[in-house]
């Protein structure tokens, strides 16, 4: 079994196998993408270089025409881990700036007490924001009351809140109102939590593997509604 | 149709004499325009819909519904705001062929954010209200593809009588007063198309052979004033129509979008072409003509025949003497060639064009595909010319080019940027039939625009031989095609599939399979749209709205919901007055249109047509936060 702990799917828009399975949710999409790259590693040998350049810009557009949106799905909720995710994604996408970044904390890890953990992690986002490396920053799946409380606490205000698609037609009125008042983007997602199940982790990476984080990036061509790249980065821990 | 240039139309004889003049200068104007704008880059996605409406006048005492010939009056009121402040109107209004028709478009194009999908329906609602509040009591604005009794006895308000002996149409059924008279273009076109053809246009639609239709179905045309020519043109067992108004008097739902450059415009023109028949079948909404139930569900062939200006020689009925070419289609029909490199190998229909024009285009730096497309458009003569527009500066003006371009009414239109404007290369999608409610119309236009984004993002390849698209067009129009027909479609739409042979590459699918997918065989257009949406940052309201639109399309495609055409049929065939004779009486027509109006105004629900949910989260403006997130004001390079 490999000792690697970081994987990058590359731009999954290039995989026709995936296009043919249209409409997958992100958990299944990630699984399919992992299958593809892992079988690739197997055939080429595990020493294959991890692609540092995800080729997010195959059409050679000017960087200012692109908008990069990243979601960090964090399983190990400590700031070091989050920093590692950031550093990896900046490196892989070969970019100085990420236009939109949302952080999601795995529910099982936060329990009912999300705020202290979130506040602790938010300082990292604020720092990257202050260094002009993140433009819009936000959170995912935080209940209305807690979100408002968190918003009022935050130094750099979140300007994105993501809610689960399943409930999108019944947005809590208080959240709707609050986001409108404060110019916050109220976005939808359909990411299962956790993004990789324990079973899949074992299947792909062997027993006693723990997930640190998954990053999903989406590169959009601004003002044209075109998606130019999408991919996942996965960081695991092998306790053996 | 854009703003019409005012002026005095030339007689047909003078127009005919200037046909080569228009052609010659039109080609030069295109060459100049192309060389000026070929490298234009970086245009954003901007798009807009066009909805055509009819005015209906109800008489509740007599239980009649007729088309109201009041469009001109209302149009001048509706255009007042635009005349005063053209840059700040929410809607634009244009005349259409019928004196009972108007066309509405958004005041400004929608933009490239997902959030723009959420303002489309609100704008359609605004337009409908804006026009509706001007109307007289009893008058109603409807987005209905065809008025069921158009051309049947006593179908207009005020009453008007057909004039078979003279006038523009010389129709046994369609009076010239039903043509929009506020601008000379429409009558001129009518007269010139008939004159060029050398006889009246002839439209024959198979009648729906219900139990009590006496076969062979044949009407007494002599008693309507026929001089024998209609008798000859009318086919047995068909509903015969003899005027441009029967086609151009139908309403369409069209959309135009701007591409980032000429290459993207070519790609989208080609990639959307195989979707034309699919969207036509999906939006089928016109089973009734001249007061009869027919065996077709769509307007397409009706319009095509209604403006068929080809002479007998051109139609291959007589040997070529006066004319240059035998031409296989009307100037209103499906496109004959693809424009992109990818598309080139699927151009399997022989294109007719003038070799000299083709060569002239090539010599001026235009590639083969575009050159043959333009040369093919230019086999047509001008059918409408204004004296003020005869002499032009070919370096700046484009009227002669536009003259021919805008009277080639095809499923798709490839539109160069207008001179001296900020508008880029555009593509127009023209096959869809208009639906009864704004919800449906918004769903359809959003779905098509979403498909363009899906095609570009996933680099899909939907191309099939162009001859197969034509085959699909004819299948799409049959009665209940959505449930009963299969359509040629590409099996593997991922881009790098190799071109082997037709048999390997394409197969026949139902609309359900094409739209919703077929397990392990074909992913389906809607699942691809879902994949795309999951990768975009959609705000909650927009996402909800789009989901409801897609749900409607999904259910229509699967046959769970009726198409508009099937629903209209069902309503007539189950009307207590219906005598199984395929006739739509004044009373049946009245009740049907009342019901349509009640449906549109939400007085009644109609789950068999619209499904359980007909309300979206549409809103007039997009959220400020979404606008800020992707600042589209400054021009970005492509």
């Amino acid at each position: 079994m490999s000792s690697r702990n970081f994987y990058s799917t590359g731009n999954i828009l290039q995989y026709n196998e995936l296009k043919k399975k249209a409409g997958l949710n992100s958990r299944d999409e990630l699984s399919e993408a992992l299958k593809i790259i892992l079988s690739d590693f197997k055939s080429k040998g595990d020493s294959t270089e991890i692609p540092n350049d995800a080729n997010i810009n195959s059409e050679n557009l000017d960087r200012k025409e692109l908008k990069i949106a990243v979601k960090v799905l964090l399983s190990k909720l400590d700031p070091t881990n989050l920093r590692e995710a950031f550093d990896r994604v900046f490196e892989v996408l070969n970019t100085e700036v990420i236009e939109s970044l949302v952080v999601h904390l795995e529910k099982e890890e936060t329990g009912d007490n999300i705020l202290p953990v979130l506040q602790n992690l938010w300082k990292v986002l604020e720092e990257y924001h202050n260094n002009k490396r993140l433009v819009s920053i936000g959170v995912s799946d935080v209940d209305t009351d807690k979100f408002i409380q968190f918003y009022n606490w935050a130094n750099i205000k979140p300007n994105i809140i993501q809610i689960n698609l399943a409930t999108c037609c019944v947005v809590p009125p208080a959240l709707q109102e609050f986001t409108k008042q404060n110019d916050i983007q109220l976005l939808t997602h359909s990411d299962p939590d956790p993004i990789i199940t324990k079973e899949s982790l074992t299947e792909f990476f062997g027993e006693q593997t723990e997930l640190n984080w998954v990053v999903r990036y989406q590169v959009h061509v601004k003002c044209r509604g075109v998606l130019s790249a999408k991919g996942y980065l996965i960081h695991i821990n092998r306790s053996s | 149709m854009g703003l019409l240039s005012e002026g005095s139309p030339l007689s047909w004889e003078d127009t005919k004499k200037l046909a080569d003049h228009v052609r010659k200068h039109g080609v030069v104007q295109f060459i100049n325009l192309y060389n000026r704008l070929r490298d234009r880059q970086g245009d954003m996605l901007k798009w807009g819909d066009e909805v055509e409406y009819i005015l209906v006048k109800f008489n509740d005492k007599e239980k009649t519904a007729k088309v109201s010939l009041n469009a001109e009056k209302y149009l001048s009121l509706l255009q007042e705001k635009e005349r005063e402040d053209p840059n700040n109107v929410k809607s634009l209004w244009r005349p259409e062929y019928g004196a009972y028709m108007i066309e509405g478009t958004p005041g400004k194009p929608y933009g490239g954010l997902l959030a723009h999908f959420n303002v489309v329906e609100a704008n359609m609602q605004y337009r409908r209200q804006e026009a509706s509040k001007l109307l007289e009591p009893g008058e109603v604005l409807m987005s209905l593809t065809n008025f069921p009794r158009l051309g049947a006895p006593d179908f207009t308000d005020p009453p008007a009588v057909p004039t078979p002996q003279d006038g523009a149409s010389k129709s046994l059924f369609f009076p010239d007063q039903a043509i929009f008279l506020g601008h000379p273009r429409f009558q001129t076109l009518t007269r010139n198309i008939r004159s060029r053809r050398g006889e009246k246009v002839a439209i024959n639609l198979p009648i729906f052979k219900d139990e009590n239709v006496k076969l062979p179905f044949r009407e007494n045309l002599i008693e309507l004033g026929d001089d024998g020519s209609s008798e000859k043109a009318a086919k047995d067992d068909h509903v015969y129509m003899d005027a441009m108004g029967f086609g151009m008097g139908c309403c369409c739902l069209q959309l135009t979008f701007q591409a980032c450059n000429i290459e993207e415009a070519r790609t989208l023109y080609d990639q959307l072409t195989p979707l034309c028949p699919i969207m036509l079948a999906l939006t089928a909404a016109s089973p009734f003509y001249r007061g009869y139930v027919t065996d077709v569900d769509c307007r397409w062939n009706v319009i095509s025949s209604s403006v068929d200006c080809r002479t007998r020689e051109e139609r291959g009925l007589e040997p070529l003497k006066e004319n240059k070419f035998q031409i296989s289609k009307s100037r209103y029909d499906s496109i004959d060639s693809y424009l992109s490199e990818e598309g080139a190998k699927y151009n399997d229909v022989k294109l007719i064009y003038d070799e000299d024009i083709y060569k002239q285009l090539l010599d001026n730096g235009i590639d083969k595909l575009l050159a043959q497309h333009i040369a093919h458009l230019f086999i047509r003569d001008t059918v409408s010319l204004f004296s003020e527009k005869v002499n032009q500066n070919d370096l700046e003006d484009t009227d002669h080019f536009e003259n021919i371009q805008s009277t080639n009414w095809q499923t798709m239109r490839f539109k160069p940027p207008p001179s001296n404007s900020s508008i880029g290369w555009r593509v127009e999608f023209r096959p869809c039939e208009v639906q009864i409610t704004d919800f449906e119309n918004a769903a359809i236009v959003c779905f098509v625009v979403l498909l363009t984004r899906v095609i570009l993002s996933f680099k899909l390849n939907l191309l099939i031989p162009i001859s197969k698209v034509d085959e699909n067009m004819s299948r799409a129009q049959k009665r209940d095609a959505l449930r009963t027909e299969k359509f040629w479609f590409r099996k593997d739409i991922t881009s790098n599939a190799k071109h082997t042979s037709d048999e390997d590459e394409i197969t026949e699918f139902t609309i359900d399979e094409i739209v919703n997918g077929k397990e392990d065989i074909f992913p389906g257009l809607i699942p691809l749209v879902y994949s795309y949406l999951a990768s975009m940052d959609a705000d909650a309201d927009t996402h909800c709205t789009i989901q409801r639109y897609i749900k409607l399309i999904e259910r229509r495609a699967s046959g769970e919901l009726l198409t508009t055409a099937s629903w209209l049929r069902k309503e007539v065939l189950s009307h207590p007055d219906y005598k199984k004779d395929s006739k739509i009486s004044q009373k049946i027509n009245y009740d049907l249109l009342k019901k349509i109006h009640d449906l549109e105004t939400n007085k009644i629900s109609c789950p068999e047509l619209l499904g359980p949910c007909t309300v979206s989260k549409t809103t007039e403006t997009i959220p400020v936060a979404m606008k800020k997130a992707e600042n589209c004001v400054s021009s970005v390079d492509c």
Side-chain angles (χ1 to χ4, degrees), chain B residues 530-584:
Chain B
Y530 279 133
S531 286
Y532 165 81
L533 287 172
S535 309
M536 303 299 292
D537 287 331
D539 67 275
D541 284 352
T542 300
H543 210 140
C544 171
T545 295
I546 293 176
Q547 267 189 327
R548 287 181 180 174
Y549 291 163
I550 292 178
K551 219 60 203 159
L552 175 78
I553 308 265
E554 180 190 310
R555 290 179 173 133
R556 285 262 167 98
S558 73
E560 182 189 332
L561 298 180
L562 297 174
T563 60
T564 307
S566 295
W567 180 77
L568 290 168
R569 267 178 204 288
K570 192 176 148 275
E571 286 298 309
V572 166
L573 268 53
S574 63
H575 191 282
D577 281 7
Y578 178 68
K579 299 192 175 56
K580 296 188 191 295
D581 54 0
S582 296
K583 280 188 188 157
I584 300 161

Side-chain angles (χ1 to χ4, degrees), chain B residues 495-520:
Chain B
S495 51
N496 57 0
K498 287 173 198 72
H499 185 55
T500 44
S501 66
D502 286 357
E503 293 76 51
D504 295 339
E505 215 166 64
I506 65 171
T507 189
E508 289 173 298
F509 287 122
T510 62
I511 299 262
D512 183 28
E513 290 163 346
I514 293 168
V515 174
N516 294 319
K518 184 175 183 180
E519 213 177 339
D520 296 329

Side-chain angles (χ1 to χ4, degrees), chain B residues 98-153:
Chain B
Y100 53 89
M101 293 168 80
I102 48 174
E103 177 192 284
T105 60
K108 278 199 195 81
Y110 312 120
L113 304 180
L114 271 196
H116 282 105
F117 289 114
N118 206 29
V119 301
V120 176
E121 191 183 342
N123 191 275
M124 287 178 175
Q125 289 166 349
Y126 172 84
R127 276 177 257 164
R128 195 185 286 268
Q129 282 158 15
E130 186 185 24
S132 294
K133 67 182 179 210
L134 301 175
L135 306 182
E136 291 169 7
E139 271 182 335
V140 165
L141 189 79
M142 288 185 160
S143 47
L144 191 62
T145 299
N146 191 26
F147 180 76
R149 283 181 54 85
L150 196 80

Side-chain angles (χ1 to χ4, degrees), chain B residues 371-443:
Chain B
Q372 67 177 16
H373 166 73
I374 298 294
H376 181 58
L377 296 183
F378 273 80
I379 60 174
R380 311 289 173 176
D381 288 346
T382 173
V383 277
S384 161
L385 190 57
F386 291 81
S387 55
E388 297 81 353
K389 296 284 179 186
V390 175
N391 294 309
Q392 305 215 316
N393 173 0
D394 291 342
L395 286 174
E396 284 171 18
D397 297 332
T398 55
D399 286 70
H400 288 321
F401 168 71
E402 287 296 337
N403 187 313
I404 300 300
Q405 157 100 336
S406 70
T407 51
N408 269 275
W409 297 281
Q410 299 179 330
T411 37
M412 301 289 310
R413 193 178 274 156
F414 184 71
K415 298 166 99 164
S419 30
N420 305 320
S421 85
S422 58
I423 302 170
W425 292 89
R426 288 151 305 150
V427 170
E428 187 178 352
F429 188 76
R430 305 167 42 84
C432 295
E433 306 225 318
V434 74
Q435 311 292 299
I436 292 168
T437 64
D438 296 325
F439 175 76
E440 295 164 278
N441 288 320

Side-chain angles (χ1 to χ4, degrees), chain A residues 40-55:
Chain A
D40 205 39
F41 282 146
K42 230 171 250 168
S43 64
K44 288 185 191 155
D46 199 46
S47 60
T48 317
E49 279 289 305
I50 294 161
N52 265 348
D53 180 0
N55 192 21

